[in-house]
PDB file of all heavy atoms in Angstrom:
ATOM      1  N   LYS A 519     147.588  98.930  43.474  1.00  0.00           N
ATOM      2  CA  LYS A 519     146.313  99.007  42.756  1.00  0.00           C
ATOM      3  C   LYS A 519     145.950  97.673  42.126  1.00  0.00           C
ATOM      4  O   LYS A 519     144.759  97.302  42.065  1.00  0.00           O
ATOM      5  CB  LYS A 519     146.383 100.102  41.685  1.00  0.00           C
ATOM      6  CG  LYS A 519     146.326 101.522  42.267  1.00  0.00           C
ATOM      7  CD  LYS A 519     146.302 102.569  41.174  1.00  0.00           C
ATOM      8  CE  LYS A 519     146.202 103.972  41.748  1.00  0.00           C
ATOM      9  NZ  LYS A 519     144.895 104.232  42.377  1.00  0.00           N
ATOM     10  N   ARG A 520     146.951  96.942  41.674  1.00  0.00           N
ATOM     11  CA  ARG A 520     146.685  95.610  41.128  1.00  0.00           C
ATOM     12  C   ARG A 520     146.106  94.693  42.204  1.00  0.00           C
ATOM     13  O   ARG A 520     145.138  93.960  41.986  1.00  0.00           O
ATOM     14  CB  ARG A 520     147.987  95.031  40.584  1.00  0.00           C
ATOM     15  CG  ARG A 520     147.809  93.642  39.963  1.00  0.00           C
ATOM     16  CD  ARG A 520     148.880  92.702  40.446  1.00  0.00           C
ATOM     17  NE  ARG A 520     148.975  91.517  39.608  1.00  0.00           N
ATOM     18  CZ  ARG A 520     149.560  90.396  39.963  1.00  0.00           C
ATOM     19  NH1 ARG A 520     150.134  90.316  41.154  1.00  0.00           N
ATOM     20  NH2 ARG A 520     149.619  89.364  39.150  1.00  0.00           N
ATOM     21  N   ASN A 521     146.714  94.733  43.417  1.00  0.00           N
ATOM     22  CA  ASN A 521     146.249  93.873  44.504  1.00  0.00           C
ATOM     23  C   ASN A 521     144.840  94.251  44.963  1.00  0.00           C
ATOM     24  O   ASN A 521     144.031  93.388  45.279  1.00  0.00           O
ATOM     25  CB  ASN A 521     147.208  93.950  45.689  1.00  0.00           C
ATOM     26  CG  ASN A 521     148.541  93.287  45.383  1.00  0.00           C
ATOM     27  OD1 ASN A 521     148.649  92.480  44.461  1.00  0.00           O
ATOM     28  ND2 ASN A 521     149.563  93.636  46.146  1.00  0.00           N
ATOM     29  N   ILE A 522     144.554  95.570  44.987  1.00  0.00           N
ATOM     30  CA  ILE A 522     143.216  96.006  45.379  1.00  0.00           C
ATOM     31  C   ILE A 522     142.196  95.563  44.337  1.00  0.00           C
ATOM     32  O   ILE A 522     141.085  95.119  44.682  1.00  0.00           O
ATOM     33  CB  ILE A 522     143.177  97.530  45.582  1.00  0.00           C
ATOM     34  CG1 ILE A 522     144.030  97.919  46.794  1.00  0.00           C
ATOM     35  CG2 ILE A 522     141.741  98.009  45.789  1.00  0.00           C
ATOM     36  CD1 ILE A 522     144.150  99.421  47.009  1.00  0.00           C
ATOM     37  N   SER A 523     142.551  95.678  43.061  1.00  0.00           N
ATOM     38  CA  SER A 523     141.660  95.212  41.996  1.00  0.00           C
ATOM     39  C   SER A 523     141.323  93.735  42.176  1.00  0.00           C
ATOM     40  O   SER A 523     140.172  93.314  42.037  1.00  0.00           O
ATOM     41  CB  SER A 523     142.309  95.426  40.628  1.00  0.00           C
ATOM     42  OG  SER A 523     142.488  96.793  40.361  1.00  0.00           O
ATOM     43  N   LYS A 524     142.354  92.967  42.513  1.00  0.00           N
ATOM     44  CA  LYS A 524     142.158  91.530  42.724  1.00  0.00           C
ATOM     45  C   LYS A 524     141.273  91.287  43.944  1.00  0.00           C
ATOM     46  O   LYS A 524     140.371  90.443  43.919  1.00  0.00           O
ATOM     47  CB  LYS A 524     143.520  90.859  42.902  1.00  0.00           C
ATOM     48  CG  LYS A 524     143.445  89.354  43.090  1.00  0.00           C
ATOM     49  CD  LYS A 524     144.844  88.761  43.236  1.00  0.00           C
ATOM     50  CE  LYS A 524     144.776  87.254  43.453  1.00  0.00           C
ATOM     51  NZ  LYS A 524     146.144  86.675  43.636  1.00  0.00           N
ATOM     52  N   TYR A 525     141.524  92.056  44.998  1.00  0.00           N
ATOM     53  CA  TYR A 525     140.766  91.885  46.241  1.00  0.00           C
ATOM     54  C   TYR A 525     139.285  92.196  46.017  1.00  0.00           C
ATOM     55  O   TYR A 525     138.405  91.489  46.513  1.00  0.00           O
ATOM     56  CB  TYR A 525     141.343  92.802  47.323  1.00  0.00           C
ATOM     57  CG  TYR A 525     140.615  92.729  48.651  1.00  0.00           C
ATOM     58  CD1 TYR A 525     140.873  91.714  49.563  1.00  0.00           C
ATOM     59  CD2 TYR A 525     139.659  93.684  48.983  1.00  0.00           C
ATOM     60  CE1 TYR A 525     140.201  91.650  50.774  1.00  0.00           C
ATOM     61  CE2 TYR A 525     138.979  93.634  50.197  1.00  0.00           C
ATOM     62  CZ  TYR A 525     139.262  92.618  51.092  1.00  0.00           C
ATOM     63  OH  TYR A 525     138.589  92.555  52.286  1.00  0.00           O
ATOM     64  N   LEU A 526     138.991  93.266  45.270  1.00  0.00           N
ATOM     65  CA  LEU A 526     137.610  93.668  45.053  1.00  0.00           C
ATOM     66  C   LEU A 526     136.838  92.647  44.213  1.00  0.00           C
ATOM     67  O   LEU A 526     135.604  92.590  44.286  1.00  0.00           O
ATOM     68  CB  LEU A 526     137.546  95.041  44.377  1.00  0.00           C
ATOM     69  CG  LEU A 526     137.992  96.224  45.242  1.00  0.00           C
ATOM     70  CD1 LEU A 526     138.014  97.504  44.419  1.00  0.00           C
ATOM     71  CD2 LEU A 526     137.076  96.390  46.455  1.00  0.00           C
ATOM     72  N   LYS A 527     137.545  91.854  43.430  1.00  0.00           N
ATOM     73  CA  LYS A 527     136.881  90.837  42.603  1.00  0.00           C
ATOM     74  C   LYS A 527     136.828  89.484  43.309  1.00  0.00           C
ATOM     75  O   LYS A 527     136.291  88.526  42.745  1.00  0.00           O
ATOM     76  CB  LYS A 527     137.625  90.697  41.265  1.00  0.00           C
ATOM     77  CG  LYS A 527     137.674  91.963  40.429  1.00  0.00           C
ATOM     78  CD  LYS A 527     136.301  92.382  39.942  1.00  0.00           C
ATOM     79  CE  LYS A 527     136.323  93.724  39.223  1.00  0.00           C
ATOM     80  NZ  LYS A 527     137.177  93.784  38.043  1.00  0.00           N
ATOM     81  N   GLN A 528     137.374  89.424  44.521  1.00  0.00           N
ATOM     82  CA  GLN A 528     137.232  88.207  45.315  1.00  0.00           C
ATOM     83  C   GLN A 528     135.975  88.307  46.174  1.00  0.00           C
ATOM     84  O   GLN A 528     135.603  89.397  46.615  1.00  0.00           O
ATOM     85  CB  GLN A 528     138.448  88.000  46.223  1.00  0.00           C
ATOM     86  CG  GLN A 528     139.707  87.609  45.460  1.00  0.00           C
ATOM     87  CD  GLN A 528     140.891  87.436  46.398  1.00  0.00           C
ATOM     88  OE1 GLN A 528     141.023  88.187  47.350  1.00  0.00           O
ATOM     89  NE2 GLN A 528     141.748  86.475  46.106  1.00  0.00           N
ATOM     90  N   CYS A 529     135.337  87.172  46.409  1.00  0.00           N
ATOM     91  CA  CYS A 529     134.085  87.179  47.158  1.00  0.00           C
ATOM     92  C   CYS A 529     134.312  87.744  48.560  1.00  0.00           C
ATOM     93  O   CYS A 529     135.164  87.244  49.304  1.00  0.00           O
ATOM     94  CB  CYS A 529     133.524  85.758  47.254  1.00  0.00           C
ATOM     95  SG  CYS A 529     132.007  85.669  48.244  1.00  0.00           S
ATOM     96  N   PRO A 530     133.572  88.777  48.968  1.00  0.00           N
ATOM     97  CA  PRO A 530     133.739  89.346  50.309  1.00  0.00           C
ATOM     98  C   PRO A 530     133.311  88.395  51.425  1.00  0.00           C
ATOM     99  O   PRO A 530     133.621  88.622  52.586  1.00  0.00           O
ATOM    100  CB  PRO A 530     132.827  90.589  50.289  1.00  0.00           C
ATOM    101  CG  PRO A 530     132.555  90.861  48.848  1.00  0.00           C
ATOM    102  CD  PRO A 530     132.595  89.533  48.175  1.00  0.00           C
ATOM    103  N   VAL A 531     132.580  87.337  51.054  1.00  0.00           N
ATOM    104  CA  VAL A 531     132.083  86.398  52.055  1.00  0.00           C
ATOM    105  C   VAL A 531     133.042  85.240  52.257  1.00  0.00           C
ATOM    106  O   VAL A 531     133.478  84.958  53.380  1.00  0.00           O
ATOM    107  CB  VAL A 531     130.676  85.876  51.670  1.00  0.00           C
ATOM    108  CG1 VAL A 531     130.237  84.754  52.609  1.00  0.00           C
ATOM    109  CG2 VAL A 531     129.666  87.009  51.684  1.00  0.00           C
ATOM    110  N   CYS A 532     133.397  84.537  51.162  1.00  0.00           N
ATOM    111  CA  CYS A 532     134.209  83.320  51.299  1.00  0.00           C
ATOM    112  C   CYS A 532     135.606  83.461  50.703  1.00  0.00           C
ATOM    113  O   CYS A 532     136.390  82.506  50.744  1.00  0.00           O
ATOM    114  CB  CYS A 532     133.494  82.132  50.668  1.00  0.00           C
ATOM    115  SG  CYS A 532     133.391  82.216  48.855  1.00  0.00           S
ATOM    116  N   SER A 533     135.923  84.628  50.116  1.00  0.00           N
ATOM    117  CA  SER A 533     137.240  84.929  49.523  1.00  0.00           C
ATOM    118  C   SER A 533     137.544  84.115  48.280  1.00  0.00           C
ATOM    119  O   SER A 533     138.696  84.031  47.843  1.00  0.00           O
ATOM    120  CB  SER A 533     138.363  84.722  50.560  1.00  0.00           C
ATOM    121  OG  SER A 533     138.185  85.584  51.648  1.00  0.00           O
TER     122      SER A 533
END
Side-chain angles (χ1 to χ4, degrees):
K519 286 184 178 291
R520 181 227 196 198
N521 290 341
I522 293 175
S523 295
K524 182 179 179 182
Y525 179 81
L526 291 174
K527 300 294 174 60
Q528 289 179 322
C529 177
V531 172
C532 69
S533 299

